[in-house]
Amino acid sequence: YHGSLLVKYKKIYIIGCVFQDHAYPADELMPLTCRGRVRGQEPSRGDVDDALGKFSLTLIDTLDTLVLLNKTTEFEEAVRRVLRDVRLDNDIVVSVFETNIRVLGGLLGGHSMAVMLKDTGYHMQWYQDELLHMAKDVGLRLLPAFNTSSGLPYPRVNLKHGLRSPESRTGTETDTCTACAGTIILEFAALSRFTGDPVFEVHARRALDFLWEKRQRNSNLVGTTINIHSGEWVRRDSGVGAGIDSYYEYLLKAYILLGDDLFLQRFNIHYASIMKYISQPPLLLDVHIHKPLLPARTWMDSLLAFFPGLQVLKGDIRPAIETHEMLYQVTKKHNFLPEAFTTDFRVHWAQHPLRPEFAESTYFLYKATKDPYYLEVGRTVLDNLNRFARVPCGFAAMKDVRTGSHEDRMDSFFLAEMFKYLFLLFAEEEDLTFNVEDYIFTTEAHLLPLSLSTAPHAPSPANATSEEELDDSNFDWTCPNTRLLFPDPAFPRNLRDPIRSAVDKSCPRPAIHREPGMGRPPLRAQDFMANNPDHLELLRRMGVSLIHLKDGRVQLVQHATQAVSAVAAEDGMRFMQEMMELSSQQQKEQLPPRAVQIVSHPFFGRVVLTSGPAQFGTDLSKSIMGVRGFVTVAEPYSGCAELSNAAFVQGRIALLQRGQCMFAEKARHIMKAGAIGGIVIDDNEGSSSDTAPLFQMAGDGRNTDDVTLPLLFLFYKEGNILLEALKEYREVEVLLSDKARDRDVGPAIKRNPEPEEEPEVDKDSSRKSVEAMMADWREDLEAFQQMEDEL
């Protein structure tokens, strides 16, 4: 399959030429500014930065990927770099969860690969378990976090001081997410069994035992956030996405890796409840653990995309196919999975940090079914990465999937997971130098050998779970047998077809489970009309009052005691929650972001900056082509007087600095000079769309109908990217639009709207597509090489 070569060569190029040249030894690559992200030297991104520990995160996270690609020479050099350059005793607070799965997992995966290569007798003959020694050092630095009465770890720890740190965040927290505490067992058990020291596995098992004991006994579900001291659930919503996801994943994979039936039995009990309450194919909806028939929210997050892959491991293929197909249709609609999307597939949170979970599930479904349909799914993922996320210095996270704008961010999991799963999806048998079936993938896609199940280990407590709780007669403990599952080759397609058109239609609403005799279904927020007498009567029955305000608005207030029944009161609570979410979503939609896309050499449309719109001037959402032109800095830069360089601004897009006068005044001055558009750059040093809410420029209180050009606002960080490009290349052309257009290497941006129906693909068109993609890649390589030479 042609994708195999594309993935392999692009992956090698990114690792070898970009990260090491521009970012090493930093933790991450900043692909828009072509430099490494060093914690403390860049504006804080809050909890996201807790993954960074000044320990060359991306290099460690990518070690076993190099071996998978058969780049043994590069792997050997990367190991030497880690041993030579990486320090672990940094006085810095890090996430226990992220450090465990990325750093400890990366070192253990690298150690597994080094041992495997050494055993072949050709490579790594000098290796004496150095990565394992580093892994144990990491494990020992994480252990202080488990010093709690419950055994649940603190969410953060200081690498140098443990819990004793001047920073108040260590040792003082009370809450952690279920996944944070329950995603330890694979790495800690592997570390114990590799080293012979049982202390790590003992602590990981203790944390899992506590979570199991604190599950809600009636629903057998767990909440999202738990108090690490008391065991009380802080957030009682339950799903398979963010906050819980890898807890379920590690229960099943711990059974596969360690061979302990206890983990499988617990997983199966949880899984039965998931399929009873949360799974409403093709949707996976959060519920309340104490009232599992009551939906907790009306949207889904992208992290649940791993679940179809986990269902493949479980052997439950039918719902895996259905949920995966829903996710694929959402991907095709928005190019990427939004960080969260509603049950009718509208964007809820527009970011996409290049998460790999959908590619992971695609790989597992292809392995289980061998249906070539999933190769085409993988090709779609790969094409969208190249069309919308690839920038000259790597792949940039999407700031907003609606506009195609970027963040200056490329998380380590992109190289550790995304390209690993894509390569495995496309790889032929001869492309793999070892049998991946001998390994389990951690949640970060690190490879741990299944042979660890026979290594010495600490026994699990005999009284951990009673026999009554372990009754598992309703489950087959087998991996999927595709010959029996799919006697008819058309069977998978028959499951997918009903879902294919769901994204562009109303999503079928899940059935609401109601007590017998309760009458008609409850009123949903999206259906409510304030002038409908029947709706007002339903509100009254739910204990909801409608108050008319003087300004014409209406206010809703609920008094649960005034509802006609307990069920009606619950319906009222859900209705109020839906109304708040609907109101929040409508407010967000009133402020749509805009895109500033750099289309000239050497960017060719690959860099897209998030910008705020103006309340006046050209509405770019109504412009099919957008406004395209070269940029020029206005003189004066403030734009608060007639421009002295009007001759240079004419026919171009003017760059202006925020401040000193109203935005509408700036627009009038550049319009008088003949500009075709304007970009205002924030003068607040350090401001960024990563951390600040979208900024919408207001008028000056007067009629602004005379302003007929588009004016967009860039925060300081994004504006500096544009100014630096102008400083280096002098002639920089941009496209102002409501969303980014397809990148191109020619003089114009391609505009190929996606057809409503997928056309038939014949061999000739497929061959032309391959040739076009290869030609495109060669041109990109030349552009990248030219940039390397200039730098």
Side-chain angles (χ1 to χ4, degrees):
Y1 193 79
H2 71 267
S4 177
L5 289 177
L6 290 174
V7 173
K8 183 183 291 187
Y9 292 133
K10 291 175 185 178
K11 178 68 168 70
I12 296 167
Y13 181 78
I14 293 298
I15 293 176
C17 298
V18 178
F19 178 77
Q20 291 188 10
D21 289 350
H22 295 300
Y24 185 80
D27 284 316
E28 287 180 355
L29 169 69
M30 297 172 65
L32 297 182
T33 49
C34 296
R35 67 176 188 269
R37 181 181 296 279
V38 178
R39 191 169 171 181
Q41 295 182 13
E42 303 292 335
S44 173
R45 301 175 298 172
D47 292 348
V48 174
D49 283 341
D50 287 340
L52 312 181
K54 297 183 180 179
F55 36 36
S56 295
L57 174 63
T58 298
L59 179 63
I60 291 176
D61 217 1
T62 315
L63 287 175
D64 52 8
T65 307
L66 289 167
V67 179
L68 190 69
L69 293 172
N70 196 24
K71 305 305 296 181
T72 51
T73 301
E74 288 81 352
F75 170 73
E76 197 158 355
E77 173 57 28
V79 172
R80 292 185 186 275
R81 283 195 180 200
V82 170
L83 300 179
R84 182 185 68 227
D85 299 338
V86 173
R87 291 179 56 90
L88 298 171
D89 60 342
N90 303 314
D91 186 4
I92 192 168
V93 174
V94 297
S95 162
V96 172
F97 168 75
E98 297 290 358
T99 305
N100 174 67
I101 65 172
R102 300 202 208 187
V103 181
L104 179 55
L107 292 170
L108 291 173
H111 170 70
S112 300
M113 295 294 97
V115 170
M116 183 270 294
L117 290 173
K118 185 176 181 179
D119 289 345
T120 64
Y122 297 105
H123 299 279
M124 302 297 294
Q125 295 305 300
W126 55 269
Y127 184 68
Q128 299 293 328
D129 295 342
E130 288 88 349
L131 291 178
L132 181 58
H133 299 324
M134 288 188 69
K136 185 172 183 179
D137 190 4
V138 173
L140 291 172
R141 294 179 187 279
L142 296 180
L143 274 184
F146 292 81
N147 186 23
T148 61
S149 58
S150 66
L152 299 180
Y154 285 99
R156 298 174 183 86
V157 70
N158 186 291
L159 288 174
K160 189 179 186 69
H161 301 291
L163 299 181
R164 298 185 302 276
S165 169
E167 294 203 28
S168 61
R169 290 194 304 168
T170 55
T172 62
E173 301 125 319
T174 58
D175 305 334
T176 192
C177 72
T178 302
C180 300
T183 311
I184 305 289
I185 185 66
L186 292 189
E187 292 82 5
F188 268 41
L191 181 58
S192 282
R193 300 189 182 199
F194 273 133
T195 62
D197 186 345
V199 65
F200 305 104
E201 185 171 347
V202 167
H203 278 82
R205 283 178 176 268
R206 185 181 174 214
L208 281 179
D209 290 345
F210 190 82
L211 288 173
W212 173 252
E213 288 299 317
K214 292 301 178 179
R215 76 192 185 282
Q216 212 290 321
R217 295 304 178 100
N218 293 322
S219 66
N220 279 317
L221 295 173
V222 293
T224 303
T225 307
I226 191 171
N227 185 294
I228 59 180
H229 305 296
S230 68
E232 293 293 322
W233 291 109
V234 179
R235 283 186 54 191
R236 299 183 178 187
D237 50 314
S238 183
V240 296
I244 302 178
D245 49 359
S246 48
Y247 163 68
Y248 292 133
E249 177 186 4
Y250 268 37
L251 282 178
L252 181 56
K253 290 185 175 180
Y255 163 71
I256 297 172
L257 179 67
L258 307 176
D260 188 336
D261 288 354
L262 181 70
F263 294 120
L264 180 62
Q265 293 159 344
R266 290 180 180 179
F267 171 80
N268 282 337
I269 291 171
H270 282 314
Y271 187 77
S273 294
I274 291 170
M275 299 309 292
K276 181 178 181 180
Y277 300 119
I278 294 172
S279 177
Q280 301 185 30
L283 308 180
L284 292 165
L285 298 178
D286 279 28
V287 299
H288 296 279
I289 59 174
H290 293 86
K291 300 177 181 179
L293 298 180
L294 185 65
R297 63 189 190 189
T298 58
W299 47 273
M300 296 170 280
D301 65 79
S302 63
L303 283 171
L304 62 77
F306 89 101
F307 198 67
L310 191 66
Q311 290 179 306
V312 170
L313 290 181
K314 172 67 183 73
D316 201 1
I317 302 294
R318 181 187 184 102
I321 291 174
E322 292 172 333
T323 298
H324 179 275
E325 182 62 23
M326 177 270 293
L327 295 168
Y328 182 40
Q329 297 303 322
V330 175
T331 297
K332 290 204 296 184
K333 182 177 181 66
H334 301 295
N335 298 321
F336 301 95
L337 272 182
E339 194 74 333
F341 51 94
T342 60
T343 52
D344 56 355
F345 310 115
R346 291 179 292 111
V347 172
H348 186 72
W349 295 333
Q351 305 93 328
H352 173 75
L354 306 182
R355 294 200 185 278
E357 285 77 16
F358 179 66
E360 174 185 358
S361 287
T362 303
Y363 164 67
F364 280 109
L365 271 170
Y366 179 65
K367 290 284 288 184
T369 65
K370 292 300 180 184
D371 188 341
Y373 177 82
Y374 294 108
L375 293 178
E376 288 304 318
V377 174
R379 177 179 176 176
T380 299
V381 173
L382 181 62
D383 287 349
N384 287 344
L385 285 171
N386 284 319
R387 291 172 62 199
F388 304 114
R390 184 151 54 92
V391 296
C393 284
F395 288 80
M398 306 306 297
K399 176 70 176 176
D400 193 311
V401 298
R402 297 166 297 183
T403 65
S405 58
H406 293 136
E407 289 186 68
D408 199 5
R409 170 182 179 183
M410 190 178 84
D411 290 82
S412 67
F413 55 67
F414 181 70
L415 297 182
E417 298 183 70
M418 176 70 85
F419 270 49
K420 186 179 289 176
Y421 284 123
L422 287 176
F423 176 77
L424 286 169
L425 173 65
F426 296 130
E428 304 291 348
E429 187 173 343
E430 57 270 18
D431 294 325
L432 301 175
T433 58
F434 63 96
N435 187 2
V436 295
E437 303 296 335
D438 293 336
Y439 298 82
I440 188 74
F441 289 106
T442 70
T443 195
E444 191 76 4
H446 293 306
L447 294 155
L448 298 177
L450 295 177
S451 58
L452 288 174
S453 63
T454 62
H457 62 281
S460 57
N463 61 346
T465 311
S466 69
E467 285 300 318
E468 181 180 356
E469 290 172 341
L470 299 182
D471 177 19
D472 200 49
S473 57
N474 294 323
F475 291 90
D476 294 326
W477 293 6
T478 58
C479 292
N481 184 323
T482 56
R483 181 178 61 83
L484 299 177
L485 283 170
F486 303 113
D488 178 6
F491 178 66
R493 186 177 69 248
N494 293 336
L495 296 179
R496 294 191 297 259
D497 284 349
I499 303 169
R500 185 179 295 267
S501 60
V503 172
D504 292 320
K505 298 180 180 178
S506 297
C507 176
R509 297 195 181 108
I512 302 296
H513 301 274
R514 304 186 61 76
E515 297 177 6
M518 285 308 298
R520 52 187 168 178
L523 178 66
R524 307 304 298 268
Q526 58 263 40
D527 300 328
F528 172 68
M529 291 184 291
N531 59 353
N532 187 317
D534 291 338
H535 289 184
L536 296 178
E537 172 60 19
L538 287 173
L539 289 187
R540 185 192 68 77
R541 294 178 62 83
M542 294 188 296
V544 178
S545 302
L546 186 146
I547 303 172
H548 291 273
L549 303 178
K550 292 182 179 180
D551 60 4
R553 295 176 300 153
V554 295
Q555 180 178 352
L556 296 172
V557 180
Q558 191 201 19
H559 302 281
T561 57
Q562 298 178 8
V564 298
S565 69
V567 172
E570 289 186 358
D571 290 341
M573 292 175 59
R574 177 194 47 74
F575 176 82
M576 294 294 289
Q577 183 177 4
E578 287 183 358
M579 286 299 296
M580 287 187 289
E581 291 181 355
L582 188 63
S583 175
S584 175
Q585 180 65 29
Q586 290 172 347
Q587 289 177 6
K588 291 179 181 178
E589 291 175 352
Q590 291 173 4
L591 298 171
R594 300 291 182 242
V596 176
Q597 186 174 13
I598 307 179
V599 297
S600 54
H601 167 83
F603 305 97
F604 303 123
R606 296 189 192 91
V607 173
V608 185
L609 307 174
T610 298
S611 61
Q615 296 175 348
F616 53 87
T618 301
D619 185 354
L620 291 171
S621 67
K622 299 177 181 178
S623 173
I624 298 176
M625 306 296 288
V627 174
R628 178 171 176 162
F630 289 92
V631 296
T632 296
V633 176
E635 296 179 6
Y637 188 23
S638 67
C640 294
E642 287 194 16
L643 302 194
S644 60
N645 63 337
F648 295 99
V649 171
Q650 185 176 9
R652 295 191 167 216
I653 295 172
L655 301 184
L656 306 152
Q657 187 178 40
R658 180 184 186 181
Q660 299 184 32
C661 64
M662 302 295 286
F663 294 116
E665 184 178 349
K666 298 175 188 287
R668 291 187 177 99
H669 282 134
I670 64 172
M671 191 169 68
K672 183 177 181 181
I676 59 175
I679 299 174
V680 178
I681 298 174
D682 194 5
D683 59 349
N684 181 16
E685 186 172 351
S687 67
S688 166
S689 65
D690 296 346
T691 55
L694 183 69
F695 183 81
Q696 183 177 18
M697 293 180 289
D700 55 3
R702 299 185 300 163
N703 190 310
T704 53
D705 290 344
D706 58 314
V707 179
T708 58
L709 51 69
L711 193 70
L712 299 182
F713 179 88
L714 289 177
F715 283 107
Y716 182 89
K717 178 182 175 182
E718 286 78 12
N720 195 53
I721 292 173
L722 183 57
L723 291 173
E724 287 295 320
L726 183 63
K727 180 179 178 181
E728 183 164 358
Y729 298 104
R730 302 186 66 179
E731 289 292 311
V732 174
E733 190 177 14
V734 301
L735 174 68
L736 312 182
S737 61
D738 62 329
K739 62 180 179 180
R741 305 300 194 258
D742 287 357
R743 65 165 181 80
D744 193 9
V745 293
I749 297 291
K750 296 179 183 177
R751 295 177 178 87
N752 297 321
E754 183 177 340
E756 294 183 1
E757 298 181 0
E758 289 184 281
E760 292 288 331
V761 179
D762 57 29
K763 293 182 179 179
D764 290 336
S765 64
S766 178
R767 187 181 304 112
K768 291 178 182 177
S769 176
V770 176
E771 292 172 354
M773 291 178 72
M774 290 299 292
D776 178 58
W777 176 241
R778 283 192 294 269
E779 289 179 330
D780 288 346
L781 280 177
E782 293 173 3
F784 289 169
Q785 188 60 54
Q786 184 173 351
M787 287 191 68
E788 291 289 319
D789 295 339
E790 292 174 354
L791 292 174

